[in-house]
Amino acid sequence: RFGILHIGGGYEIGNVNDLFNQVDQAATDIKTPIITAELATLVDPNPAIFATNIATFINTSTATATLNSVLSSVQRDGNATLFFGGHVPLTPFVISRKGWGGSFVLDANASVIANGSFLSDPLFISNATATAYANAYIANPLAPNLPTPPNDSTMLVKAAAVGEIGLGYSRSILRREAPEPVEGEPTPGKLSASQLKAGELTAGGRVKFYQVGLANKAVSLTSMQDGSQDTLNNDLTYTKSTGFGLDVGALWTSKHYRAGAWVNNLNSPSFKYPTINTTGYTNSTIIAQLGADETYEMKPQLQLEGAIFSESQNFVVNLGLDANAVQDPVGRDFQWMTLSGAYATSSWWIPGARIGYRSNLAGSKLSYLTAGLTMFKALSLDIAYGLDKLTYEGNSIPRSAMINLGLQMTF
């Protein structure tokens, strides 16, 4: 069996309506927390009193309170992620021969992901900044050259490009044959204990070679030129490194059910992000946050699977569960639970179909409805539609959606 085409992608947005517009407006409000008309109402012959009036006005204003609320919200929930990936043509390639005692699988795939998140530095005008405002107004009351106040609120962009080549081998290590029916056994349609014990245990492992490119960039809102959405899409410089991963697992397969467990990246390969330049930052909390998570570690994850088949094996109900959460290259936590039902057709002309539900038990904790079709026993199309919604540019959209297209042949 070999793959001809296998590609997919999607997006995820944090629980903030009109995220990019809110961030861009916050950047504007940080740069101009007071206008000339407002300064005119605060003038005092004593420059020190004038500066105090400015600081008090800005720091206690409704506009500043609203701005700081937005900054807090986007730090907590404001993230946007784009991802895309696919397999190299002709992979995964699976070949089984009796002389080898099992099956070999060669797989090669690549994926890219970019994520924008935000670090909040609440706006607060110091006496020094207020004095600079006062001096600028006194120098030119009609068109004062107002300075940009110091503020370290930042958009942090992280991206990864991951290439993977894997070689796996699996073989049967135990087989139990179903006994012939005897008098007193359950009637057809019912399973005896001995029939339930019939099946085959397959065990295997996979060695993977990784080439990983990691990039990150911090852009303060006061220096942002292109807007937050364009900043997410801007080109980045990647640092490349390599590593190896090891997967092991086992699967028990019977006519009526299967159950298995698999551990990914048993050896925890890790890769380094480049160090972010924090020159010009003054907020120690922001500096510490920008210096954190410089290592991407592929921690081990235990994945469990179980399925029940109909007598004809055309219908199947499948349950999958990640036993623990792990992070993806840009720091998002994932622990999937999936439940699906599928019909596998025996006809070339009648498509197979599946429908299901999946939920991330960690991180964003988003849930999805999933659906898919397999046509001509070779072409598969699957979508996942997020159940949580938000407003984006006036439209209601799901917070996340994914699509996957696959084409494979078996001979």
Side-chain angles (χ1 to χ4, degrees), residues 132-149:
Y133 276 117
N135 291 338
Y137 182 83
I138 292 170
N140 186 357
L142 296 179
N145 183 19
L146 301 179
T148 298

Side-chain angles (χ1 to χ4, degrees), residues 339-382:
L339 177 64
S340 63
Y343 169 72
T345 179
S346 301
S347 168
W348 276 83
W349 310 110
I350 301 174
R354 52 203 162 271
I355 188 170
Y357 170 84
R358 66 186 292 149
S359 178
N360 185 6
L361 304 181
S364 65
K365 298 190 175 179
L366 290 175
S367 297
Y368 304 78
L369 286 179
T370 62
L373 291 174
T374 297
M375 294 157 281
F376 313 115
K377 292 187 176 182
L379 180 63
S380 297
L381 176 65
D382 289 89

Side-chain angles (χ1 to χ4, degrees), residues 6 49 65 93 107 115 203 244 329 331 355:
H6 191 126
I49 296 177
F93 185 85
D107 191 15
N115 179 73
F244 289 90
I355 188 170

Side-chain angles (χ1 to χ4, degrees), residues 22-32 67 71 221-222 224:
Q22 288 208 51
V23 171
D24 293 344
Q25 185 60 53
T28 299
D29 293 343
I30 289 174
K31 296 173 188 176
T32 57
L67 168 62
L71 291 175
L221 268 59
T222 56
M224 187 178 294

Side-chain angles (χ1 to χ4, degrees), residues 72-85:
S72 176
S73 175
V74 297
Q75 171 162 306
R76 183 179 63 251
D77 297 316
N79 62 83
T81 310
L82 301 171
F83 47 90
F84 178 82

